[in-house]
């Protein structure tokens, strides 16, 4: 199969398309013929070497496609099913991918838009679960216009929470449309946030953890997914998959999509062969929306 990988750490130009052996599903896994794969900041983090690891490395975690092989013990999917999920080995930018955690693509959603969902939805849900977000909670989201932020806003609203979203000036209307009360970034942001914040989620990682702690009433009421150093210095939880994943969110968000209560826009698509260009666009983009690779089948 054709798959994207890199043999050295660095910028987008280290990415290449190579021939790799076809993967075969083990117990609990399905193999999908990938039709679309999301491009996320996490992919860039691995490519740059921030996470280390052996070389070469494959890329891509968000995937959507059609099941073409089923491993032992799988009862929730059959050949030909449209599914979206998280690639088990971070090798979703390929013609074939193995997936253990997946959900059926809702009928109203195409595979390109489905590929925009998995990592953003899981990360947002895991973080909100850690904060105990539910009905009556007031959640402050710092970085509300990005994919994870937009997911957090909509999922929190679906839980019955009030949401305040911090974003750039150009994205205030977008954040409002998602269901949050928009607030702009910048000096004095704490003075612009409405009162009554219970918990805060930092997605932007722009150094405002002390302000979020003050607004939410203590470090135990704040979670960050972007500021490792700030979390350590301020006693805030840095949410990672090592603390447990929230893959239950995939099936839940599929239901919300069908109800018209959840969406993540796709800002651009690139063929798999142009993955380097897709990563360059990821580094340069300024507005909301995911970048998605398409794979010819």
């Amino acid at each position: 199969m054709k798959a994207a990988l890199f043999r050295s750490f660095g910028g987008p130009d280290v990415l290449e398309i190579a021939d790799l052996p076809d993967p075969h599903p083990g117990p609990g896994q399905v193999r999908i013929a990938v039709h679309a794969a999301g491009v996320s900041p996490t992919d860039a983090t691995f490519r740059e070497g921030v996470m280390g690891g052996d070389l070469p490395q494959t890329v891509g975690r968000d995937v959507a496609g059609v099941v073409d092989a089923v491993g032992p013990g799988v009862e929730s999917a059959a050949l030909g099913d449209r599914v979206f999920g998280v690639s088990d080995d971070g090798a979703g930018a390929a013609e074939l991918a193995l997936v253990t955690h997946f959900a059926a693509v809702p009928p109203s959603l195409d595979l390109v838009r489905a590929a925009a969902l998995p990592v953003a939805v899981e990360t947002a849900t895991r973080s909100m679960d850690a904060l105990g977000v539910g009905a009556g909670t007031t959640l402050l989201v710092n970085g509300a216009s990005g994919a994870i932020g937009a997911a957090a806003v909509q999922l929190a609203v679906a839980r019955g929470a009030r949401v305040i979203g911090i974003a750039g000036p150009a994205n205030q209307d977008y954040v409002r449309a998602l269901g949050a009360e928009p607030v702009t970034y910048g000096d004095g942001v704490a003075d612009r946030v409405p009162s009554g914040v219970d918990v805060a989620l930092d997605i932007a990682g722009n150094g405002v953890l002390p302000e979020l702690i003050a607004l939410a009433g203590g470090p135990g009421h704040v979670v960050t997914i972007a500021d490792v150093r700030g979390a350590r210095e301020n006693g805030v939880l840095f949410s990672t998959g090592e603390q447990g994943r929230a893959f239950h969110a995939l099936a839940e968000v599929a239901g919300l999509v069908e109800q018209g209560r959840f969406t993540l826009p796709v800002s651009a698509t690139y063929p798999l062969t142009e993955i380097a260009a897709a990563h360059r666009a990821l580094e340069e983009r300024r507005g909301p929306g995911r970048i998605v690779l398409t794979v010819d089948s």
Side-chain angles (χ1 to χ4, degrees):
M1 69 170 184
K2 301 292 185 183
L5 55 76
F6 53 90
R7 303 179 192 277
S8 62
F9 299 120
D13 290 339
V14 301
L15 292 161
E16 63 179 271
I17 304 299
D19 287 308
L20 295 180
D22 290 354
H24 298 284
Q29 291 181 314
V30 299
R31 187 178 74 183
I32 66 171
V34 178
H35 285 239
V39 179
S40 75
T42 301
D43 298 326
T45 298
F46 277 90
R47 188 203 72 225
E48 292 165 355
V50 174
M51 308 302 290
D54 297 330
L55 293 168
Q57 285 186 30
T58 50
V59 294
R61 281 148 185 82
D62 294 292
V63 292
V66 176
V67 175
D68 81 340
V70 178
V74 174
E75 299 180 353
S76 57
L79 298 180
D81 285 355
R82 299 192 320 149
V83 300
F84 69 108
V86 180
S87 166
D88 285 349
D89 48 6
E95 292 177 325
L96 299 169
L98 299 178
V99 183
T100 299
H101 302 287
F102 59 88
V105 176
S108 65
L109 200 62
D110 61 52
L111 290 170
V112 169
R113 289 185 296 154
L117 301 179
V119 170
V121 167
E122 188 280 326
T123 304
T125 300
R126 169 180 13 108
S127 302
M128 290 195 301
D129 287 350
L131 289 167
V133 174
T137 304
T138 295
L139 167 68
L140 175 61
V141 179
N142 180 46
S145 65
I148 297 172
V153 169
Q154 294 174 91
L155 293 170
V157 169
R159 294 184 181 195
R162 172 197 180 198
V163 185
I164 302 165
I166 305 175
N171 293 320
Q172 296 293 289
D173 288 343
Y174 175 63
V175 170
R176 185 178 293 106
L178 294 173
E181 302 168 40
V183 173
T184 55
Y185 287 125
D187 293 341
V189 65
D191 297 329
R192 296 190 292 276
V193 173
S195 61
V197 172
D198 297 312
V199 291
L201 173 57
D202 172 40
I203 296 165
N206 55 350
V208 297
L209 284 182
E211 289 89 340
L212 300 185
I213 290 168
L215 288 164
H221 297 170
V222 179
V223 166
T224 180
I225 66 165
D227 190 351
V228 177
R229 181 176 178 180
R232 185 167 54 248
E233 292 175 349
N234 292 280
V236 165
L237 174 66
F238 182 79
S239 180
T240 71
E242 294 178 358
Q243 298 144 7
R245 296 287 189 180
F247 291 120
H248 62 86
L250 300 180
E252 293 168 4
V253 81
L256 292 174
V257 168
E258 281 304 279
Q259 297 166 23
R261 301 170 65 194
F262 189 95
T263 184
L264 281 183
V266 173
S267 60
T269 60
Y270 292 81
L272 176 63
T273 53
E274 296 181 17
I275 187 171
H279 274 236
R280 283 192 289 271
L282 176 72
E283 295 180 348
E284 296 167 0
R285 70 188 177 97
R286 293 294 181 268
R290 294 293 310 277
I291 294 171
V292 176
L293 300 166
T294 56
V295 182
D296 292 332
S297 58

